[in-house]
Amino acid sequence: MIINFRGLQRLLTGAGLTAAAVIASQQSASAHVTLATGEARANTYYKAVFQVPHGCDGAATQTVRVQIPEGVIGVKPMPKAGWTLSITRGAYAKSYQSHGKTVAEGPKEIVWSGGSLADDNYDEFVFTSFITDFPSGQAIAFPTVQQCAKGEVRWDQIASEGQNPHTLKSPAPVLRIVADMATVAQAQMDHSQMDHGKMAAPKSGSDTFKAGDLIVTAPWTRATPGGAKIAGGYLKITNNGKSADRLVSAISAGADRVEIHEMSMTDGVMKMRPLTDGLTIKPGETVELKPGGFHMMFMDIKQPLKQGDKLKATLTFEKAGKLDVSFDVNAMGATSEPAHKH
């Protein structure tokens, strides 16, 4: 689109405005922390994707805090490589029914901390949840605090009845309840798609790779947004031998280095640590590297990973030796773990 700034300036001057003021307003409106999908039905599962487009006046984002409003239950946040995940739990104002059970408490705040998202980069912070019985048309606000190396921004303003939310300086991310899913921008997780707690796994490669007694199947990773420097790697390793072997290292031309990590939850805090001694695969055992558990980390990736591409890597085992594999690049946010358990 081409804009005639002189013509626009003359037009707006009569209204007491300037082109610069309008452009600044538009830039400000597009720079908020927002939800990728701003609409959902009541009584359905909802994947909340918080989009963080910038830092605080040039400073890198180090912490993102999201308050969970009443009526949004069963929240399960997605861990992020390089960030510490913590969950504050508390009592709900009333109890809810979930899978035949009464639920009276759950996550009230989700915090991703300890990371560093540069001001000129973009990233997403994700959790899954269940939206309870809200009336159609109601707006649900998720007050969010973005803490940076210098200063913070509180995205917590909520429009009053009849107020245009675009007039707010720091609006909270808002989810609007709709009656018809056809108006929702993207398909949300639906309970009917879950088979006793098991969601369909992302499309994984059918490739099988063999080294000695070891078989590696279905390596996959996620597409990454522009500016992202880290990607996870997931696969299954089966040991058909009579003695244990160990995955000791990996390399890839697509990243400066590759590390083997373990992620675990301790006292409500998600922690990740490198496995400096490698990962042992016992005889007759299959070890799965997956989100939320054992996984590989591609550090300082050379370029964004795009869905449908392949990421080549070489795994090194203590006994089986080197094995060349390729990781299918699936969609952003793909997960092989169920979002909810029945």
Side-chain angles (χ1 to χ4, degrees):
M1 180 176 65
I2 299 175
I3 300 176
N4 185 325
F5 283 96
R6 290 187 178 179
L8 179 62
Q9 182 73 53
R10 288 195 298 269
L11 177 64
L12 296 175
T13 299
L17 300 172
T18 67
V22 171
I23 293 170
S25 175
Q26 291 175 338
Q27 289 174 336
S28 175
S30 65
H32 302 155
V33 173
T34 57
L35 285 164
T37 301
E39 295 177 323
R41 283 189 308 174
N43 297 310
T44 57
Y45 289 93
Y46 173 69
K47 180 179 179 180
V49 180
F50 290 82
Q51 303 175 117
V52 179
H54 61 76
C56 309
D57 292 328
T61 301
Q62 297 180 334
T63 299
V64 174
R65 314 176 72 93
V66 178
Q67 293 182 31
I68 310 301
E70 181 70 24
V72 178
I73 66 173
V75 171
K76 288 190 175 183
M78 179 182 290
K80 290 181 66 65
W83 298 72
T84 297
L85 175 63
S86 60
I87 304 172
T88 300
R89 300 178 182 275
Y92 295 139
K94 66 176 185 178
S95 60
Y96 301 89
Q97 292 297 311
S98 177
H99 305 305
K101 297 181 180 180
T102 299
V103 179
E105 63 88 29
K108 304 290 286 185
E109 184 181 62
I110 306 298
V111 180
W112 291 268
S113 62
S116 183
L117 175 60
D119 179 60
D120 57 354
N121 289 345
Y122 161 92
D123 208 347
E124 297 175 342
F125 298 78
V126 181
F127 63 74
T128 60
S129 62
F130 185 83
I131 306 299
T132 58
D133 193 17
F134 289 90
S136 178
Q138 181 167 338
I140 308 172
F142 293 79
T144 301
V145 179
Q146 183 182 358
Q147 296 175 322
C148 301
K150 294 182 180 179
E152 68 176 27
V153 180
R154 305 185 69 87
W155 304 102
D156 57 3
Q157 293 181 330
I158 301 173
S160 58
E161 185 70 26
Q163 182 181 10
N164 185 343
H166 295 295
T167 63
L168 300 176
K169 182 179 179 181
S170 302
V174 169
L175 175 68
R176 187 171 68 90
I177 302 302
V178 296
D180 184 0
M181 279 298 284
T183 64
V184 180
Q186 72 179 47
Q188 297 295 340
M189 291 182 301
D190 191 276
H191 189 263
S192 64
Q193 294 175 323
M194 299 184 183
D195 180 14
H196 299 290
K198 293 184 179 180
M199 293 179 62
K203 182 180 179 181
S204 298
S206 58
D207 295 332
T208 297
F209 307 88
K210 191 175 187 301
D213 293 322
L214 301 182
I215 297 177
V216 174
T217 55
W220 66 280
T221 183
R222 297 187 182 101
T224 59
K229 303 300 291 181
I230 299 175
Y234 315 103
L235 46 77
K236 293 181 181 180
I237 307 172
T238 299
N239 186 351
N240 290 324
K242 296 182 179 180
S243 60
D245 206 335
R246 189 162 55 98
L247 175 61
V248 294
S249 65
I251 59 173
S252 173
D256 280 353
R257 67 185 189 280
V258 183
E259 299 178 358
I260 306 166
H261 286 193
E262 179 185 22
M263 190 169 286
S264 60
M265 181 73 77
T266 304
D267 296 328
V269 177
M270 186 66 74
K271 296 183 178 181
M272 185 168 63
R273 67 181 182 92
L275 299 178
T276 54
D277 294 330
L279 177 62
T280 299
I281 306 97
K282 297 178 181 178
E285 181 180 69
T286 295
V287 175
E288 183 177 5
L289 281 69
K290 60 184 180 180
F294 296 122
H295 60 279
M296 297 168 60
M297 292 302 305
F298 296 94
M299 314 296 287
D300 293 324
I301 55 177
K302 305 297 179 63
Q303 61 185 21
L305 303 181
K306 297 180 180 180
Q307 184 176 358
D309 287 351
K310 296 273 191 179
L311 177 62
K312 295 182 178 181
T314 299
L315 312 181
T316 299
F317 295 93
E318 186 176 42
K319 296 179 180 177
K322 296 183 182 297
L323 177 63
D324 293 331
V325 300
S326 60
F327 290 75
D328 282 349
V329 180
N330 291 326
M332 290 187 191
T335 175
S336 60
E337 295 243 302
H340 292 268
K341 295 180 181 178
H342 287 221

